[in-house]
Amino acid sequence: MINVEARNKMSKTLRLILGDQLNSNHTWFQTTDDSITYVLMEIRSETDYATHHIQKIVGFFSAMRNFASELKQKKHQVVYYHLNDTNNFQSFDKNLNYLIEKENFTHFEYQLPDEYRIDELLKNFCQALPISYSVVDTEHFMSSRNELGDFFIGKKTFLMESFYQMMRKKHNILMQGDKPLTGKWNYDAENRKKLPKDHKPTPPLIFNTDVSKIVAEIENTNISTIGTIDPKNFIWPTTRNQSLELLDFFVSECLPLFGSYQDAMTPNEWSLYHSRISFSMNVKMISPLEVINRAIQEWENRPDEIAYNQLEGFVRQIIGWREYMRGIYWNKMPNYKTSNYFNHNNKLPNWFWTGKTKMNCLKDAINQSLNFAYAHHIQRLMVTGNFALLAGVHPDEVDAWYLGIYIDAIEWVEITNTRGMSQFADGGIVATKPYVSSATYIDKMSHYCGSCYYKKALKTGDKACPFNSLYWNFYDKNEDKLGKNPRIGMMYNVWNKMKPNDKAMILQQADYYLKKIEEL
Ligand SMILES: Cc1cc2nc3c(=O)[nH]c(=O)nc-3n(C[C@H](O)[C@H](O)[C@H](O)COP(=O)(O)OP(=O)(O)OC[C@H]3O[C@@H](n4cnc5c(N)ncnc54)[C@H](O)[C@@H]3O)c2cc1C
Ligand code: SF4
């Protein structure tokens, strides 16, 4: 028998697991130890820092509950705070302080958070702790927080392509010695095809998990959410096994056409050949290395069915773009969060929350985002993001929408994509030129324009596609900031060669549309 004094002197460790740290392969979980307790929390500080899609909150809570159950089954000690528990103080520090004091913990540990806000919060929390503490890596990413900053030290531009090539070499992925396998690094030119008109993409693998209990618990609170959910048939993976199943489905059914159609869009097809594994990866149910190894293995097994450009296109997204964005985030925060290169100040139109617009491309992208908490990259970049930038919307408004609506939205990867890549608010750290387009690009990559209320070929007049006049208006208004950019010079040549009267009419049309933005 241990007396109370001796028990209190025993070493007892409390380990915090954040909602996006569900990595069952982490060293922490490889041995069981009764002196270690894990804590996971569903708290209002996390449900309320943005207005999230209902599927996003359900996805996180569901995955966290499944992860906690697995830990318990493996005989780990786990404390789990449900959203409506009476002893839940609804914030990390309050719950942790209470637990540490009540259970006499002698040591506290956490994994490096991916979000700046939580990183600061836990650093401050630990400064005030009366017990010892330590921080460990999440063992998820393939580059460290500061690796990108170190790689580009002294450089003005942070070219993704150079970072990607460094990552391929460092991890010896698709390499032959120090040369890329096949001799070529980049297959983007082969990977930008429009979907043939009669092509029917593979239907997506979805899960039909019953999440009614969690939905009811959320509905019992005053948490604001956006979007819809079918509580009996939740479509997203919420366990590691489901995530692996989705990955298997992707490599067997979608990888053969992934690269070809990664930029394509078509009405009522919300996932095409995309993997939809961003949520699984961002909460760390699966790791980037196992994802690309699985894709490479499939390509090796089916060389006649999976062309190399499909595989390279996929690998570059994961060890290129994803790791690159994380590096930018840690190199540029916290200033990145307030960047607004064009001093944009407009509001996001209300129809971003309802999908009620006559613009076909936007209607489809927004409605599927509300229905599935998902849109693929080109919809995010060249439809919703493109419109917000052309309409001069304040990057805070744009960020809030993207951070809320997507199941995979966590600040480190949301803000770098939204503020950086899509809104050019960082002045050109992530993108070498703003991603803007008129109807021409959207029509080239999609089947939206043919059946749209607006006419893709018109710049002015009642039915002129709004993207057309807003596009030229954007260049006109920002000539002082963009005129010298060598990648844009050609567009200014075209603009400056237009007749003054035509230019004036286009600017007038843009002005009219901006004033009537809620009615578009
Ligand atoms: C405005 C905007 C906002 C975005 N917000 C997010 C976000 O909040 N969370 C998020 O995970 N991604 C975000 N992205 C990047 C990208 O659109 C999504 O990762 C992708 O659509 C997720 O779907 P998928 O898993 O089917 O991707 P796939 O097309 O199948 O690509 C495979 C994987 O590559 C990675 N990837 C691809 N492109 C990027 C990129 N640009 N940055 C980082 N990783 C990338 C993702 O992990 C993705 O799962 C955003 C892009 C834009 C333009
Ligand atoms: S015409 Fe314009 S608004 Fe309509 S679908 Fe095409 S790009 Fe979108």
Side-chain angles (χ1 to χ4, degrees):
M1 225 164 89
I2 308 171
N3 67 31
V4 175
E5 204 179 339
R7 190 176 69 93
N8 285 349
K9 277 188 187 148
M10 265 171 50
S11 125
K12 281 179 77 182
T13 296
L14 182 64
R15 285 178 172 172
L16 172 67
I17 303 171
L18 298 171
D20 65 349
Q21 296 181 335
L22 312 181
N23 176 4
S24 55
N25 288 327
H26 194 278
T27 315
W28 268 6
F29 311 118
Q30 304 319 309
T31 48
T32 52
D33 182 338
D34 283 351
S35 74
I36 296 173
T37 300
Y38 295 95
V39 59
L40 294 97
M41 309 176 192
E42 298 171 4
I43 47 180
R44 291 299 295 263
S45 62
E46 299 314 290
T47 56
D48 296 8
Y49 74 88
T51 307
H52 303 286
H53 198 296
I54 177 75
Q55 293 186 35
K56 184 179 171 191
I57 303 182
V58 169
F60 269 83
F61 286 0
S62 192
M64 286 164 65
R65 289 181 190 192
N66 291 333
F67 190 74
S69 303
E70 279 167 32
L71 289 184
K72 282 182 195 161
Q73 272 164 23
K74 289 179 187 158
K75 309 285 179 226
H76 294 287
Q77 313 292 314
V78 180
V79 173
Y80 193 95
Y81 284 95
H82 293 88
L83 186 63
N84 298 328
D85 285 348
T86 47
N87 63 343
N88 186 343
F89 294 107
Q90 305 293 347
S91 78
F92 287 119
D93 42 356
K94 285 190 185 138
N95 282 341
L96 288 171
N97 273 329
Y98 180 78
L99 256 184
I100 288 170
E101 200 179 316
K102 182 169 150 265
E103 303 291 335
N104 297 310
F105 283 105
T106 56
H107 185 69
F108 171 66
E109 286 182 1
Y110 67 101
Q111 295 179 20
L112 275 178
D114 287 326
E115 203 179 327
Y116 189 86
R117 174 181 64 99
I118 306 289
D119 197 49
E120 290 293 296
L121 185 148
L122 289 175
K123 271 195 232 161
N124 292 335
F125 171 76
C126 287
Q127 298 285 310
L129 262 185
I131 58 172
S132 60
Y133 67 90
S134 49
V135 193
V136 300
D137 197 82
T138 54
E139 302 174 9
H140 171 84
F141 290 99
M142 294 170 69
S143 52
S144 71
R145 268 187 186 181
N146 299 327
E147 199 159 334
L148 175 137
D150 294 343
F151 179 68
F152 287 115
I153 205 152
K155 299 262 165 45
K156 266 199 185 143
T157 47
F158 291 27
L159 216 59
M160 199 298 281
E161 188 66 35
S162 328
F163 179 78
Y164 166 63
Q165 292 181 12
M166 178 278 284
M167 290 290 284
R168 287 262 303 270
K169 285 182 200 157
K170 180 184 149 192
H171 293 280
N172 195 22
I173 289 163
L174 302 175
M175 297 295 295
Q176 207 161 31
D178 63 350
K179 298 267 179 308
L181 203 71
T182 76
K184 202 170 131 182
W185 290 107
N186 190 319
Y187 286 79
D188 278 356
E190 288 160 52
N191 282 346
R192 286 176 180 152
K193 297 196 176 86
K194 185 171 181 160
L195 219 58
K197 189 83 187 151
D198 48 2
H199 181 99
K200 191 76 196 133
T202 309
L205 169 73
I206 52 170
F207 299 91
N208 298 102
T209 313
D210 186 345
V211 290
S212 322
K213 193 165 166 272
I214 302 182
V215 174
E217 284 171 36
I218 295 168
E219 280 170 358
N220 262 338
T221 66
N222 58 353
I223 296 172
S224 310
T225 59
I226 40 178
T228 59
I229 189 165
D230 176 355
K232 295 267 182 226
N233 297 291
F234 188 62
I235 61 173
W236 294 100
T238 54
T239 61
R240 177 168 162 78
N241 282 345
Q242 285 183 337
S243 303
L244 290 171
E245 205 184 321
L246 185 59
L247 177 60
D248 272 345
F249 170 82
F250 167 73
V251 295
S252 68
E253 303 293 325
C254 304
L255 185 58
L257 289 176
F258 173 82
S260 299
Y261 299 129
Q262 66 180 339
D263 287 4
M265 298 175 280
T266 199
N268 307 316
E269 295 289 349
W270 64 281
S271 61
L272 300 172
Y273 294 96
H274 293 274
S275 64
R276 293 175 296 117
I277 48 158
S278 47
F279 173 69
S280 291
M281 268 202 292
N282 292 356
V283 300
K284 305 185 181 62
M285 291 188 290
I286 47 175
S287 76
L289 186 59
E290 68 185 326
V291 168
I292 49 169
N293 279 342
R294 180 70 189 83
I296 292 170
Q297 176 199 45
E298 191 76 8
W299 167 73
E300 283 170 348
N301 292 343
R302 294 161 64 194
D304 298 337
E305 294 166 71
I306 304 174
Y308 183 76
N309 62 301
Q310 317 289 351
L311 175 74
E312 192 281 324
F314 183 69
V315 169
R316 113 179 347 255
Q317 304 306 321
I318 308 229
I319 65 168
W321 282 110
R322 186 170 186 266
E323 298 281 330
Y324 170 84
M325 290 305 199
R326 175 166 177 268
I328 295 279
Y329 182 77
W330 285 106
N331 193 258
K332 299 292 173 196
M333 280 295 277
N335 295 345
Y336 208 80
K337 208 177 159 84
T338 51
S339 54
N340 185 1
Y341 183 65
F342 296 118
N343 294 318
H344 280 166
N345 262 314
N346 290 341
K347 275 185 66 63
L348 206 59
N350 277 327
W351 43 258
F352 261 75
W353 280 270
T354 63
K356 291 192 175 127
T357 165
K358 299 192 279 299
M359 289 182 274
N360 239 1
C361 51
L362 277 153
K363 185 165 54 188
D364 209 48
I366 295 171
N367 276 316
Q368 77 162 63
S369 304
L370 292 167
N371 293 337
F372 303 115
Y374 177 88
H376 65 73
H377 188 67
I378 291 301
Q379 292 178 302
R380 299 186 202 197
L381 186 66
M382 297 311 295
V383 179
T384 42
N386 183 11
F387 185 85
L389 179 54
L390 295 180
V393 178
H394 195 297
D396 284 355
E397 292 250 323
V398 191
D399 260 336
W401 188 79
Y402 281 98
L403 188 58
I405 201 155
Y406 293 120
I407 183 111
D408 55 27
I410 305 180
E411 192 183 72
W412 64 269
V413 59
E414 175 279 322
I415 201 169
T416 41
N417 271 291
T418 303
R419 233 167 238 261
M421 184 185 252
S422 151
Q423 300 301 295
F424 205 76
D426 62 6
I429 296 168
V430 165
T432 49
K433 71 180 179 77
Y435 281 97
V436 286
S437 83
S438 63
T440 312
Y441 173 84
I442 296 174
D443 187 45
K444 186 174 147 219
M445 295 314 302
S446 79
H447 301 120
Y448 288 127
C449 299
S451 54
C452 185
Y453 168 89
Y454 294 103
K455 301 286 167 235
K456 64 181 182 192
L458 298 181
K459 294 189 189 67
T460 56
D462 269 2
K463 294 225 166 162
C465 167
F467 279 94
N468 294 340
S469 53
L470 292 176
Y471 175 74
W472 289 116
N473 178 65
F474 171 80
Y475 277 131
D476 184 70
K477 296 277 176 300
N478 294 302
E479 189 159 3
D480 58 330
K481 292 199 161 92
L482 300 174
K484 292 206 174 68
N485 184 323
R487 297 200 60 205
I488 308 179
M490 209 177 73
M491 296 324 294
Y492 280 107
N493 287 342
V494 176
W495 178 235
N496 291 329
K497 276 188 192 146
M498 281 190 211
K499 290 184 193 136
N501 194 37
D502 291 348
K503 283 168 80 173
M505 279 176 57
I506 291 172
L507 296 179
Q508 212 177 348
Q509 181 77 38
D511 192 49
Y512 173 79
Y513 276 154
L514 287 176
K515 286 195 178 112
K516 297 265 175 196
I517 198 162
E518 293 296 347
E519 292 155 40
L520 288 179

